[in-house]
Amino acid sequence: MAIQGVLRPGHAQIRVLNLEQGVHFYRDVLGLLETGRDDQGRVYFKAWDEQDHNSVVIREADRAGIDFFAFKVLDNDTLLHFERALNDYGLETSRMPAGEMLETGERVRFTLPTGHLIELYADKTWVGNDSAELNPAPWNANAEKGIAPIRMDHCLLYGPDTAAAKKILIEVLGFQLVERTLTPDREGEIALWLSCSNKAHDIAFVEHSEPGKLHHVAFQLESWEKVLRAADIMAMNDVPVDIGPTRHGITRGCTIYAWDPSGNRFETFMGGYQTYPDHKPITWTFEGLGEGGGLDYAHRKLHDTFLTVVT
Amino acid sequence: MAIQGVLRPGHAQIRVLNLEQGVHFYRDVLGLLETGRDDQGRVYFKAWDEQDHNSVVIREADRAGIDFFAFKVLDNDTLLHFERALNDYGLETSRMPAGEMLETGERVRFTLPTGHLIELYADKTWVGNDSAELNPAPWNANAEKGIAPIRMDHCLLYGPDTAAAKKILIEVLGFQLVERTLTPDREGEIALWLSCSNKAHDIAFVEHSEPGKLHHVAFQLESWEKVLRAADIMAMNDVPVDIGPTRHGITRGCTIYAWDPSGNRFETFMGGYQTYPDHKPITWTFEGLGEGGGLDYAHRKLHDTFLTVVT
Amino acid sequence: MAIQGVLRPGHAQIRVLNLEQGVHFYRDVLGLLETGRDDQGRVYFKAWDEQDHNSVVIREADRAGIDFFAFKVLDNDTLLHFERALNDYGLETSRMPAGEMLETGERVRFTLPTGHLIELYADKTWVGNDSAELNPAPWNANAEKGIAPIRMDHCLLYGPDTAAAKKILIEVLGFQLVERTLTPDREGEIALWLSCSNKAHDIAFVEHSEPGKLHHVAFQLESWEKVLRAADIMAMNDVPVDIGPTRHGITRGCTIYAWDPSGNRFETFMGGYQTYPDHKPITWTFEGLGEGGGLDYAHRKLHDTFLTVVT
Amino acid sequence: MAIQGVLRPGHAQIRVLNLEQGVHFYRDVLGLLETGRDDQGRVYFKAWDEQDHNSVVIREADRAGIDFFAFKVLDNDTLLHFERALNDYGLETSRMPAGEMLETGERVRFTLPTGHLIELYADKTWVGNDSAELNPAPWNANAEKGIAPIRMDHCLLYGPDTAAAKKILIEVLGFQLVERTLTPDREGEIALWLSCSNKAHDIAFVEHSEPGKLHHVAFQLESWEKVLRAADIMAMNDVPVDIGPTRHGITRGCTIYAWDPSGNRFETFMGGYQTYPDHKPITWTFEGLGEGGGLDYAHRKLHDTFLTVVT
């Protein structure tokens, strides 16, 4: 089969400082669909065009940030394969039982050298996107409730030793390096964009001293006009915006960075090219990230917040 | 590795009735870049954002149509693997020597039950998309010469026994079925859309009595506004249009079908969702293809030309 | 004052065969806001971004079509001025009393040689577009209910002696001729587009043997992406589409023609240039209307329905 | 006639520090068409879709800024009318002879209390937009050379006593007030947007201590996607960007502010609603200009440069 192994980003569990404020934001402003609440008080959401039960989970906590980020793998044999491969590589794993998250099967967990908890799982209940079984319409009313992204698309994580994380993702989990930013001395990499698919990125990292930090979780929109609509809805709802609307030189995506009410950055973006394993990674210098437009192609500058504000 | 096996549509060889007219169309109107001519008189093109040497090859002939459609595979081991798997499945294959096509390695050929010659290859010279090696711009002047698609994206082939072709593509080559249209009695499938990637389709088939027929080769655009621009450029150049601008209910793509000067249909389209191996195929009834908007969502009718005009 | 005299299309009264079906269509599918019903059983609507009380009025009748089309003029002095000027020109006028239409002042009526009843009025109650009085948002939820045009924009009327109608609109009411299509012998004009503003058209005519016929009332959308959204919503609601999405060569507008449940054609369109009194009228030949793309720039043909289907 | 008096912004004469750098920018980056050079060394440009000979004139000088901004009026009777009306109002006028500017008739000049030299003229040679005389195409290759705006659209001027300027524009020249921003104490107006047409603005003012200052000259684009394209072209050409892409809450226009090589700010924008004399002016508080999103709807802040950087 052409696509196997790790399929796609599956879910992100995000900490919010106030649950109902978080629900209001993720459901009514970002426009995800609430799909459940569990007895730990967590609230589950999916984007309107996603077909599995959930992709974003929020829980109330004293500190914002990300608890874990998960990838769906092809099947349970694949899950077992990766579990063993991680162990063989020298990484400890643990299993979260099926049902610990609503409508989600067993999850294999491990911690990247960057301090981030990553999960793999094979099963999540199919709930569909409300399309008819035959002759489905291309979209429905949910596609216009709030910002209404199509999917939870990727995340950008900050932590130390991203080189080691990259090695694990590529060598053990089969990701490919799509783009990268060099350190100022051009001898190392300060930022990495990795894909397990044809998308320009499924996960990204920036080298950072503090482990386990979240830069943003990203949500995909269909068009540049939807990015403008997202900006309008952010303004109508007093959502603080960090950067954009603009284009990222890196990945070519067209984007807004903004913050949820707890200070977790999120991205709404469209575009970016299709990547393949035979494509060479694209390289940005450190100056390229800033003045070269890697981060903000319209403004060609390294916004202060980019390297400093994380949760 | 997450993506392996068959990577993507690699090249299509199209027959044109007049070579220079064909060159004018594919280069100046469609806006592909001419990358070479060989001693057989064939002319090679690539889309501006493609990185390999060629994706469309035209040759002059008495009859329009498609000579062969090829997929790039991950590497030569994969090529050998598929060659054997095809043989094991009972299909004869032959090898075309490296260099028989410009800048292209050995190709493994076989004929589908639908009468289409399909090729697999692992090597084609990387020529890039004229981006800088460091800090590349998102596009360049080539992106605005003619219609200027991003890539040659897929084809729709007409022939008998598409069920057998589907079986080969899925079982031997690892494709997945993404969408399908049922026969009027709902007991069989009259049309199939298959993917070897996250794209909604890399190849498609319609059941047809005559073997080896081409319905269209498709070229991807970035946006619905680029589809309008394509329509304008078609009008400015007297390109006959078949259907569109409209949306296909099937794949959700937004599209124009038109004809090259030799009568080969081509498509310029944008959009369509991302698919994954765990997604269920989407099913259209035969009425769904027409009145249900599968073909033309705006008009909801089965255009006469759709089932009858092929080359 | 730079703009005076006739300001803009103000209201159209359209006959529908079934009132509740009509209300469903104009309110829930086209997405106009219902603003009132009167004791004659008429139902009043406005587009979300219009500021006066109504712009579309429907009434149930045995026969579809248009009762009258009205323009708002600057003030009551202007109304009186035009009334006298029409009389001086030799046209009979009559006054409809204030309040005969909801929230609308006195209307001066006259019949064009084409057989269409035209009204002028100076007063209609300002109801606003639901924006805040200070620091208004650019749009609100009404902008996404149904197709949700910005405004009722213009109409295209069919009838005899359009040359005489043109003369009245230009010489008496101060319109300018913006575009025109010649008769096949190029000695006369078969179609006329006239403006009282910077818009490419506020009213248009096609020469036709039967008087008083409606080709379409047009509604303006903000973008080509909104035209696609309109097509999708038409499909979702089984609205029969005549032509489009496509571009009109004439006016450059990007458009869909479709029919309401009673068979009245309507248009949803975007774009078109800004015109000024010092611009020369643009001329299309009769072949230009069809093969030249005047009607349908993508397809360059004269659709049969264009000259034959009116209400 | 519905539109008479002042028709539209006609030309702006801008001072640049280096002529050839200026020509490169206005021609090759902004994408205006060079239409002539005069014996004073001035270089003339027009936007591709403008029909008169020129709309932007640059001259080399020691100091950047605007020499004068001109409006085309309906005809020479109108020009004479306004000349007398200005004199009657107590403003001195002077006449620049026909031909002093290339292909331009006599110009009546006067100075606004804000210190800006304004011109009125009735004649400028019609050169067209390269369309065919019959059955014109909607655009041509010039529409894709550089940023390629449709037109020079309006300007924003900074100077003292904008209240007096407003009075002249409204009472003598027939403009209407479309939007305004109040001073912090809400007792006066700090910014004004005025129209002589259906456009949301043809000229704008901000109260400022220094007279005769230029904030920006604005150029109109067709779509939000063209605004993204403009941002990309600015980046590719190292054009410094001030604000955007974003939406102005004021006028709803979607915009980029950037600087030419001499430090003159220019705007490339799309959108904005149609205004009419019976519409009430829209009012923004001073906080509304900043935190209310009047300037930058996505970011809702008063950028430092907005009130301080002018030429």
Side-chain angles (χ1 to χ4, degrees), chain C residues 277-300:
Chain C
D278 61 333
H279 285 184
K280 302 178 185 177
I282 292 173
T283 300
W284 296 77
T285 62
F286 187 76
E287 299 72 30
L289 176 66
E291 297 86 329
L295 173 61
D296 182 344
Y297 197 61
H299 287 268
R300 286 148 279 145

Side-chain angles (χ1 to χ4, degrees), chain A residues 137-140 144-146 222-226 228-229 232-233 236, chain C residues 137-140 144-146 222-226 228-229 232-233 236:
Chain A
W139 52 275
N140 58 46
E144 296 187 331
K145 288 186 182 150
E222 294 102 322
S223 69
W224 176 235
E225 187 162 313
K226 292 273 190 181
L228 175 62
R229 182 180 175 275
D232 287 343
I233 292 174
M236 291 170 186
Chain C
W139 53 275
N140 58 47
E144 296 188 331
K145 288 187 182 148
E222 295 101 321
S223 68
W224 176 235
E225 188 162 313
K226 292 273 191 182
L228 175 61
R229 181 180 175 275
D232 287 342
I233 291 173
M236 291 169 186

Side-chain angles (χ1 to χ4, degrees), chain D residues 171-184:
Chain D
E171 295 183 11
V172 184
L173 299 179
F175 282 64
Q176 59 174 323
L177 180 65
V178 181
E179 304 213 15
R180 63 191 190 131
T181 300
L182 303 179
T183 50

